Amino acid sequence: MNMNNKKICITFAGAVGSSKTPISNYLSTKLNLPIFNNDAIRSEVIEDLGIFDNEEYLKRRNARLEEIIINGNSFIYDVSVDREWVKFKKKLISSNYSFSIISLDLSKRLLTKLYQAKNYLESLDRIDELIQDHNNFLDKYSKDINLHITDRGFIDRIQISYDKIKEYLEQKN
């Protein structure tokens, strides 16, 4: 899809394991947009150092994200912006980016099912905290969200996301 030199960032809000990466990968393929994936940087740090070092992870993540934004590249930010939205939104706006947030507003029942299927035991132990973080984000920033995916639409989340983002991009061009 032709972006006509407009700078666009597509990102997500939602708990760990709520399906951001499958949606990101589909959108990337369909829209020819690169993905900036935090989990890939986490893995790289672990592989390079033999352990996870949060300071090194943040250093690499921030430097690479800064480079993307300075270069003005449109991209998919495969991360939940729930905790960092204020700072990230300011960065996007000051760099003349438009943004679209896909919010994955899933119930505890569905998240539990997903965590069990993925063997996300640590996230399962923190499920109430993760849901509360997302609800806090929704309370403050719901006006910034372009699409809410709930349990009801979860099975069709990939197509729903593509249709909404395609519509969003057409409006921006």
Side-chain angles (χ1 to χ4, degrees):
M1 178 166 282
N2 184 349
M3 301 281 179
N4 292 336
N5 296 324
K6 300 217 181 216
K7 300 186 286 189
I8 307 284
C9 175
I10 299 164
T11 193
F12 301 87
V16 170
S18 58
S19 197
K20 296 176 289 292
T21 298
I23 296 169
S24 292
N25 284 308
Y26 187 79
L27 294 177
S28 174
T29 300
K30 293 291 281 187
L31 302 171
N32 196 30
L33 283 173
I35 298 172
F36 184 88
N37 182 296
N38 276 346
D39 291 336
I41 297 171
R42 279 188 187 93
S43 293
E44 174 190 322
V45 168
I46 291 167
E47 291 167 3
D48 289 354
L49 304 179
I51 60 166
F52 180 70
D53 180 309
N54 194 58
E55 210 170 296
E56 181 62 23
Y57 156 74
L58 290 173
K59 180 177 131 187
R60 292 181 193 194
R61 181 198 71 179
N62 293 344
R64 291 178 190 170
L65 194 53
E66 185 69 23
E67 183 179 1
I68 289 168
I69 291 172
I70 286 171
N71 289 333
N73 299 323
S74 292
F75 66 106
I76 298 169
Y77 193 31
D78 181 9
V79 64
S80 179
V81 294
D82 289 20
R83 291 184 180 176
E84 298 183 4
W85 181 236
V86 173
K87 184 177 174 184
F88 188 61
K89 180 181 177 181
K90 282 182 187 176
K91 181 78 148 164
L92 291 174
I93 290 171
S94 69
S95 300
N96 297 312
Y97 271 81
S98 296
F99 59 85
S100 180
I101 301 174
I102 298 169
S103 185
L104 295 147
D105 310 332
L106 307 182
S107 69
K108 183 175 181 176
R109 181 192 58 77
L110 180 54
L111 277 175
T112 298
K113 182 179 167 184
L114 292 173
Y115 292 172
Q116 289 170 337
K118 297 178 184 184
N119 201 27
Y120 281 18
L121 301 180
E122 182 181 316
S123 296
L124 192 55
D125 291 342
R126 297 179 44 228
I127 195 166
D128 292 324
E129 174 191 344
L130 296 169
I131 290 169
Q132 188 58 53
D133 284 347
H134 183 60
N135 287 336
N136 291 343
F137 173 83
L138 292 174
D139 287 345
K140 293 179 185 174
Y141 306 109
S142 62
K143 68 184 181 326
D144 290 338
I145 297 169
N146 294 76
L147 173 63
H148 291 272
I149 303 283
T150 63
D151 292 20
R152 186 170 176 207
F154 186 77
I155 197 73
D156 299 316
R157 69 199 175 283
I158 305 283
Q159 190 63 47
I160 292 168
S161 297
Y162 172 69
D163 292 343
K164 187 67 173 182
I165 295 300
K166 184 177 174 192
E167 176 185 308
Y168 169 79
L169 294 174
E170 287 169 353
Q171 290 173 356
K172 291 293 173 188
N173 284 323

